[in-house]
């Protein structure tokens, strides 16, 4: 369901896929993240998604008053998970709110894996 913004000049509709793309690019700017993980792993093995498929690792729930974003991520080995998670949350919330003018209620980070080089 698209988010609708009414202005004196007309109506703006923002699709959840657009919000997911903004969130994905914002998350990838954070230090310590390797990439997004596929959210539909039936056998428990998560796949690292390429840059053009970032939104497949993101769930956006939009209703009339709130936006909730859930990101499935893979982090680098050796980083402090809580610090990287907080940085991702701050960056995603800031960028989505700045680019759309909408308020983000909740950003949830699900660490699906750690990549060791």
């Amino acid at each position: 369901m698209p988010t609708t913004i009414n202005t004196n000049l007309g109506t703006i509709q923002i699709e959840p896929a657009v919000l997911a793309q903004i969130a994905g690019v914002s998350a990838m700017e954070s230090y310590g993240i390797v990439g997004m993980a596929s959210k539909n792993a039936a056998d428990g093995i998560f796949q690292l998604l390429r840059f053009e498929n970032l939104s497949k690792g993101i769930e956006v729930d939009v209703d009339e008053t709130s936006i909730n974003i859930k990101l499935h991520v893979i982090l680098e080995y050796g980083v402090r998970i809580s610090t990287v998670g907080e940085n991702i949350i701050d960056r995603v919330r800031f960028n989505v709110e700045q680019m759309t003018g909408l308020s983000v209620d909740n950003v949830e980070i699900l660490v699906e894996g750690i990549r060791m080089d």
Side-chain angles (χ1 to χ4, degrees):
M1 170 170 138
T3 302
T4 304
I5 302 169
N6 294 314
T7 68
N8 59 349
L9 299 175
T11 302
I12 301 167
Q13 290 187 340
I14 302 173
E15 292 291 330
V18 173
L19 298 172
Q21 193 68 28
I22 294 170
V25 171
S26 299
M28 291 302 296
E29 293 174 349
S30 298
Y31 173 79
I33 187 168
V34 174
M36 305 305 291
S38 61
K39 63 184 177 198
N40 296 327
D43 56 359
I45 298 173
F46 290 88
Q47 177 184 7
L48 182 63
L49 298 171
R50 294 179 185 255
F51 191 76
E52 58 271 3
N53 294 325
L54 289 179
S55 60
K56 291 183 181 177
I58 302 169
E59 299 173 42
V60 177
D61 181 33
V62 179
D63 62 23
E64 294 177 9
T65 60
S66 67
I67 298 174
N68 297 300
I69 301 171
K70 189 182 294 187
L71 296 101
H72 299 261
V73 300
I74 297 175
L75 301 181
E76 288 181 24
Y77 176 78
V79 297
R80 177 170 266 161
I81 294 172
S82 60
T83 303
V84 173
E86 288 173 5
N87 290 340
I88 294 169
I89 290 168
D90 289 341
R91 188 172 295 236
V92 167
R93 175 173 277 135
F94 178 80
N95 285 343
V96 170
E97 289 178 351
Q98 288 299 310
M99 290 183 188
T100 64
L102 302 170
S103 178
V104 176
D105 286 348
N106 187 37
V107 178
E108 186 176 345
I109 306 296
L110 299 159
V111 180
E112 304 292 358
I114 302 290
R115 184 175 80 173
M116 300 193 306
D117 287 330

